[in-house]
Amino acid sequence: MHENGTRWLKARLEDDSPSRLKPADLHDDMVVARGRVRDELIKRGVLQDKAKDVADEWCSKFQVVELQGRIMGHWSTAVCPWLYDRQTDGAKKKAVLIFLNKSSTWVDEVITHQQGRSVLSKLRKRTWLHTDNTLIRPKTGANLAAPNGPGFRKPEGVLVDTTRPIHLIEWTDVISALEFKYRNTKALMEDATNYMSEIARFILTNQIDRRYFVGLLMLGTDLFVYIYTRGGSSITTPIDMYHDVNDFLHCMAWFKHADLELLGYDNSIIRNSRGFRMALNGDAELAHGAMTDIVSVIYNSNSAIGRSTRILGLTYQRSLAETDNLIVKDVWQNIWLASDGEIHKLLEDHGRIDETRKLLGSGFPERIHKTPAEAGLTEELFQSWGTSPQWDDLNVEGMYPWHLPIRDNRFSVKPLEMTDGNDGQKALDSVSNILKETTTASDTLVHCRTVFRTPAVRCTWFSCRREFLHCILDSLLGHLEACRRGIMHRDTSDGNVWFWVPQTDPQYAVPEWYLSPQNGKPEFCTLEIPAPWFPKRPGMAGDFGLGLNMLDETGAANAVTTTGTFPFGTTADSKEAPHLTHDLESYIFLIWIVGVNFKGPYHQVEHWPDPPKPGPIPDNSMPNDKASDLISSKFQRPSCHWSGKGQPSTSVKRFTATQRTSAKSGDEEFERRNAMVPEWAKMGSLHPRTEPVLRQKRALTYEIFDLSLHPYWKVGKLSDGWRKLFNLLWPTQEDSRTINSKRSSLTHAALVSVIREMILLIPPADDGAPSKVVVENARQRYSSSITRLVNVDRYKLVPPVCPSLYDSGASVPPPSSDPSRSALPSTPSSYQFIEYNSRSMRRTSRKRPSDTSASGPSPQAGTSSLQSAGNTGSRTSDPMSNSSGKRRKV
């Protein structure tokens, strides 16, 4: 054990008061010991790297030097590996993890001695595991089919609270991670932070209850605490494990005992043996909140920076007999932009219709009515299911326009709150508050939630061609109603056009409509139905997070953030002002790209081979850093910059709606289409929205447009409908106007008319019910896709530890916010955050003499945080590298 640490711990264990060893004495000893060791190492050239093989010589003398003098500022090599060595190996890394666990155990012994063994049942039992040779698996955000491809990583160590075997550990289990390098240099620090940022992304995208990530970097004897958020990151000054004993023990105890909220978890989401539950805040006027069950993850962004949108399916049991099926959009919104909740409040205001009419004049779009056949098909499905969305279909000026999500006004749309680790008070859950006093360079993102009572399924889970086109048609009608109320959507994509369903359940995502195995006739819910019939679920235009309020001049700030979601975005020049026609153009691209990439019902997506030159996929057509800068300039706010901002990792971003895998050999039709389809039009494309892509989209010919379509979309005379759709935007023999001219004249009525013609051109005999096998397979795929992040069957939660059976090596029970933990003694912090530059990267610790604590090393669980770990200086470090995932040899 450390000589200082041994004497200090013994003094506390033998006497309730540390009278035998005063903090001042310990500090003086540490100063002398530190100076002696530094002088010796500098003399021998270890720190200045002027001598070779001195580490072995110094290590051989270490046992002798350790016994010289009254105090020597080193841990015994029998306890902690020699960390000045220039070589490292797996055995040393494993020994370091054992040492970290022992360090927190010693703190537990001090706490137990001071407060009695009864406190053991309240202490958390988190454990550091050595995973240098273990690939940790992702649940999302990667190619899950690859055995060791993107998404799989081998961190040196991970902090967990589960008893799962180490080879079964997943990113959903990881609380924190450790990256180890043999010494502290600028190059090794950059390599370590690059790798740690990759780890942070996988944790943030795989854990639905994670707000930010806190990790450890160990470079030689220097230990750094690393914080990674959605909009910035920070790192502490080094803690010298040999000399800064108090700081080191405080840090280890903090990681083991701090409340999970202070380690980056969302305390409004609770994990129990049945799954995850979410607490929803009630609207201020209603003063009503609710505890709901999370039953599905409908959409989960693969990005850990920026908005990081996540849409969850919830059930809210109002009473024993009443259960509401809801969805909630969880997003990190730029504080200067209108949130989804605020936009939907505007959509509920029918008085805006007249205001928009005055604003647009002759360009105001009039309402398009449904045909009797369209209304009849949907009504039949409502009667079969015994429920409907409750839109104000017949009332043009109703509060809930048709084919738009309905906000649940029982719940608040205000940003969420967090616990400030410095004072324990509630504060706005924002990136700036998370990184409070650690850095000034971060994006102005705030955590928001909006609850809707219209569950949904994305449009690619269509049952047949006609249902998909009807979904697009309905979505256009909803988009039209939003425009009539002065809201421009500006984010059309396959993920934002939805089917309404009673609940996010496989039986509604994949209706029980199939050919009977007995007689080959179509059935719906075991009842025989006419062959032309199909389950027409109503479509919706969803996700107004980037919506533009056309009636608010300041709302134009939203316009600079994006011009459409890649690859569906407009071909207009980026400097062109936002217009309704840009959204209509996106719908044309959406219909065509679905025809290119989907080869059958229920999300049967084409798997394209990887292109030769990979690159990052942007969440939107404009990178996050440019969007942030434009928003700041619009509001005359200073722009913030943090390293790597707006450059997502290839390994995280490359897999979107599909996972790019190799095509089967011998498929001539596929090979022909693979060569014909533009790379940007392939789902999972690695091409960003660049000028070459824009030129390709503008110059798209009908030959490429037609030959790129999957044969599934060429039944009957549907090719005539595709030609009419092409003619709406690109020059043809019938209409030679330029793409800019045609785009500016696009209307909802024109696009709806073409879609209706396309529906009529599909022969019902060629677009009938799928087989029962297809339906059963689709239900399994859908169920897996929405539950893999909320399925807790994999967890084996550890029960509280019995005091009489206390074992310092035991696994940890899941932490909780137990008020009784506040009885643990508090400890002033002495960590600092520094500006990351070459002069700061040195072995010397920057501990302040005034910060030496007279109290014990015990953390005040639930109230300490990394903000309380340092109040001065700043350093921004977020190297969002496009790492290939291979470990760098050191």
Side-chain angles (χ1 to χ4, degrees), residues 638-713:
S639 177
C640 64
H641 299 278
W642 39 282
S643 177
K645 172 181 172 184
Q647 301 174 11
S649 164
T650 300
S651 58
V652 177
K653 298 297 298 175
R654 66 183 302 174
F655 300 99
T656 53
T658 180
Q659 298 167 4
R660 303 292 290 274
T661 58
S662 299
K664 295 181 179 180
S665 59
D667 188 342
E668 295 182 2
E669 171 64 20
F670 177 86
E671 295 296 340
R672 180 194 63 78
R673 293 180 56 248
N674 183 45
M676 178 66 67
V677 177
E679 194 62 38
W680 54 266
K682 298 175 180 177
M683 289 289 191
S685 169
L686 304 180
H687 285 252
R689 182 184 184 274
T690 58
E691 283 302 319
V693 172
L694 279 179
R695 287 195 295 269
Q696 291 180 34
K697 294 175 74 172
R698 293 166 182 159
L700 189 67
T701 65
Y702 182 71
E703 180 184 13
I704 295 177
F705 181 92
D706 179 61
L707 295 178
S708 296
L709 293 168
H710 191 277
Y712 175 80
W713 299 94

Side-chain angles (χ1 to χ4, degrees), residues 86-101:
R86 298 186 63 181
Q87 295 181 354
T88 184
D89 52 46
K92 177 183 288 187
K93 294 176 181 177
K94 188 173 183 179
V96 168
L97 269 296
I98 294 174
F99 171 62
L100 297 184
N101 286 324

Side-chain angles (χ1 to χ4, degrees), residues 73 107 146 167 261 277 287 317 319 551 567 574 589 607 626 635 653 665 668 707 738 757 761 778 790 862:
V107 176
H167 66 280
E261 183 184 4
R277 308 200 74 198
Q317 190 167 4
S319 65
L551 301 182
S574 58
F589 278 111
H607 296 285
K626 293 184 179 180
F635 285 96
K653 298 297 298 175
S665 59
E668 295 182 2
L707 295 178
T738 65
E757 288 188 56
L761 291 172
V790 294

